[in-house]
C-alpha cells in the first residue's frame, strides 16, 4: 500500500511539531509548506527530523517547500499558516491578517489537493475554518477545525494532576468555541468511569475549568512571543490519525452544524466521528438548559467573528 501524504501548510512552531509527530507515528510522508521567505526553514526542519528517524526506525519521507505543486495528491492537509497571538492580543485581533492568508491557502489547496481531509488550526479558529470552507468549496465532511480536542486534553491534564491519576483515565468532552467560550460538559467528565463531580468539589472544579478556559492565554503570557504548539500539534495529529486509519474516534472538533444542537451554518465544537470519510457524523445528545445557554453564547461569539469575514 502506498504511503499516505500529509501536508502541513505553515511550518512554524506547530507545523514543525506536526511534522515530528506525523513521522513518529508513521502516518505517511510529510510535506512542510511555507512562504518563500521561510522555505529554508521548512527544508531545515525536514532534514533535522529525517535525521532522527533512524534511531527508532521510522520510515517516512519529509520534505520542505514553498511550491504549491509539491502538495499535489495530499490525503490530509493541516493548516497552521498565519501569525500567532502576542501578549495582549486576543484571537479575534488575528482575524484580519489570518483571513487574507487562509484565502490564499484555500485557493491553492482546492487547486492542488482537492481530495484532502483538511484540519484547520489557525486562529481565530471558528472564523478561519468557516472561511476555508467557503473559499475552497470543499464538502463539509472534509473540513474540520481543531479546538475541542485541545481544550479537553488541557482539562484532562489538569484533572489528572489534581487527583494524581493517569491522564489516560480522565475523560471529558468540551464543546463550543475554542478557549474562552468553550462549553465543557462536566457531567460527561469521568475518572476511571467515576463522575469527576463525585471526586472534586464544585468550587475547585470551577477553578480548574477557568484555568482550562484561559490555558492558551496562560502559555502566551509565559512565552512572551508566541502561543502554544506542542499540545495543539498533538491534538491535530489525533484527528489526522483517526481519518487515515479510519478509526472513527469521537473527537470534539469544529464541524459544520446543519441543524445539530439547533445550530445552522456555523462551525462549532461538537463531538464528531472522524473516519475515512472525514467528519462522518456529529453525535447529538440532549443538553441541559445551562449547557444549551452556554452553547448559544458561544454561537453568538462565533457569529460575530464570522460576520467580520464578510463571506
Ligand atoms: N502560507 C503558508 N504559510 C504561511 C503563510 C501563507 N500565506 N503566511 C504565514 N505562514 C507561515 C509563517 O511563515 C509561519 O512559519 O505560518 C507559520 C506560522 O507559524 P508560527 O508563527 O510559528 O505560529 P504557530 O505557533 O505555529 O501557530 C500557527 O495556529 O494556534 C494557531 O494562533 C495560532 O494562528 C496561529 C497558528
Amino acid at each position: 500500500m502506498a504511503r499516505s501524504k500529509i501536508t502541513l501548510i505553515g511550518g512554524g512552531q506547530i507545523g514543525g511539531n506536526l511534522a515530528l509527530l506525523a513521522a513518529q507515528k508513521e502516518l505517511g510522508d510529510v510535506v512542510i509548506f511555507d512562504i518563500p521567505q521561510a522555505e529554508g526553514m521548512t527544508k531545515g526542519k525536514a532534514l533535522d527530523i529525517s535525521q532522527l528517524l533512524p534511531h527508532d526506525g521510522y520510515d517516512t519521507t519529509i520534505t520542505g517547500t514553498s511550491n504549491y505543486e509539491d502538495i499535489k495528491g495530499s490525503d490530509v492537509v493541516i493548516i497552521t499558516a498565519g501569525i500567532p497571538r502576542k501578549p495582549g492580543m486576543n484571537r479575534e485581533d488575528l482575524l484580519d491578517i489570518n483571513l487574507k492568508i487562509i484565502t490564499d491557502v484555500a485557493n491553492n489547496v482546492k487547486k492542488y489537493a482537492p481530495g484532502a481531509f483538511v484540519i484547520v488550526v489557525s486562529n481565530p479558529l471558528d472564523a478561519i475554518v468557516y472561511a476555508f470552507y467557503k473559499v475552497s468549496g470543499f464538502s463539509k465532511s472534509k473540513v474540520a477545525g481543531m479546538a475541542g480536542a485541545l481544550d479537553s486534553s488541557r482539562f484532562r491534564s489538569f484533572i489528572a494532576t489534581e487527583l494524581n491519576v493517569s491522564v489516560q483515565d480522565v475523560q471529558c468532552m468540551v464543546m463550543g468555541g475554542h478557549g474562552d467560550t468553550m462549553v465543557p460538559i462536566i457531567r460527561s467528565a469521568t475518572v476511571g468511569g467515576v463522575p469527576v463531580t463525585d471526586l472534586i468539589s464544585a468550587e475547585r472544579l470551577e477553578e480548574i475549568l477557568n484555568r482550562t478556559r484561559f490555558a492558551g492565554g496562560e502559555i502566551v503570557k509565559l512565552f512572551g512571543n508566541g502561543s502554544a504548539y506542542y499540545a495543539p500539534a498533538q491534538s491535530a495529529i489525533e484527528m489526522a490519525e483517526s481519518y487515515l486509519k479510519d478509526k472513527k474516534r469521537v473527537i470534539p472538533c469544529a464541524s459544520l452544524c446543519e441543524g445539530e444542537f439547533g445550530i445552522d451554518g456555523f462551525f462549532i465544537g461538537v463531538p464528531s466521528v472522524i473516519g475515512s470519510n472525514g467528519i462522518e457524523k456529529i453525535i447529538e445528545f440532549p443538553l441541559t438548559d445551562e449547557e444549551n445557554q452556554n452553547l448559544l453564547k458561544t454561537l453568538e461569539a462565533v457569529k460575530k467573528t464570522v460576520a467580520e469575514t464578510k463571506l
Side-chain angles (χ1 to χ4, degrees), residues 262-276:
I263 297 165
D264 197 15
F266 292 95
F267 281 80
I268 214 149
V270 286
S272 310
V273 178
I274 304 181
S276 58

Side-chain angles (χ1 to χ4, degrees), residues 8-242:
L8 313 173
I9 308 276
Q13 297 283 30
I14 301 180
N17 281 288
L18 284 168
L20 176 64
L21 292 166
Q24 289 184 322
K25 281 180 167 276
E26 286 191 323
L27 291 186
D29 291 334
V30 178
V31 175
I32 311 174
F33 175 95
D34 210 303
I35 50 177
Q37 300 90 301
E39 189 178 22
M41 186 249 318
T42 66
K43 289 190 186 303
K45 285 189 181 179
L47 273 179
D48 194 6
I49 296 172
S50 303
Q51 292 161 8
L52 72 79
L53 302 178
H55 288 295
D56 286 312
Y58 303 118
D59 289 308
T60 176
T61 305
I62 308 170
T63 44
T65 186
S66 63
N67 180 356
Y68 265 113
E69 295 236 349
D70 294 333
I71 80 161
K72 259 188 195 156
S74 300
D75 299 288
V76 169
V77 171
I78 307 178
I79 302 171
T80 61
I83 57 158
R85 273 200 288 173
K86 306 254 158 46
M89 271 174 104
N90 63 32
R91 291 189 176 89
E92 278 63 33
D93 293 334
L94 293 179
L95 182 62
D96 281 353
I97 180 143
N98 284 353
L99 200 53
K100 286 195 189 84
I101 293 174
I102 199 70
T103 303
D104 173 52
V105 171
N107 283 321
N108 281 293
V109 172
K110 180 182 175 182
K111 182 165 174 198
Y112 294 104
F117 177 57
V118 176
I119 301 167
V120 179
V121 179
S122 312
N123 274 316
L125 193 266
D126 309 280
I128 297 293
V129 66
Y130 180 89
F132 178 90
Y133 169 72
K134 284 285 178 185
V135 175
S136 69
F138 271 35
S139 80
K140 65 172 183 173
S141 61
K142 289 300 193 76
V143 183
M146 190 290 293
L150 175 58
D151 289 323
S152 61
S153 140
R154 284 173 166 160
F155 180 72
R156 289 169 64 195
S157 105
F158 291 146
I159 295 286
T161 305
E162 177 79 6
L163 296 173
N164 194 22
V165 297
S166 166
V167 285
Q168 242 187 315
D169 295 316
V170 182
Q171 296 298 332
C172 176
M173 209 236 303
V174 175
M175 294 177 58
H178 185 30
D180 314 359
T181 57
M182 67 179 207
V183 182
I185 309 297
I186 286 304
R187 65 199 161 92
S188 78
T190 55
V191 177
V194 178
V196 78
T197 44
D198 288 345
L199 302 173
I200 300 178
S201 72
E203 298 75 50
R204 181 67 189 133
L205 209 44
E206 192 48 44
E207 283 171 16
I208 295 172
L209 280 175
N210 246 333
R211 186 169 182 201
T212 310
R213 269 186 201 104
F214 298 102
E218 187 179 349
I219 293 173
V220 168
K221 233 195 239 160
L222 288 167
F223 281 176
N225 65 348
S227 52
Y229 44 90
Y230 294 115
Q234 180 64 42
S235 303
I237 285 292
E238 196 176 35
M239 294 166 68
E241 185 178 24
S242 191

Side-chain angles (χ1 to χ4, degrees), residues 12 248 265:
K248 303 195 193 296

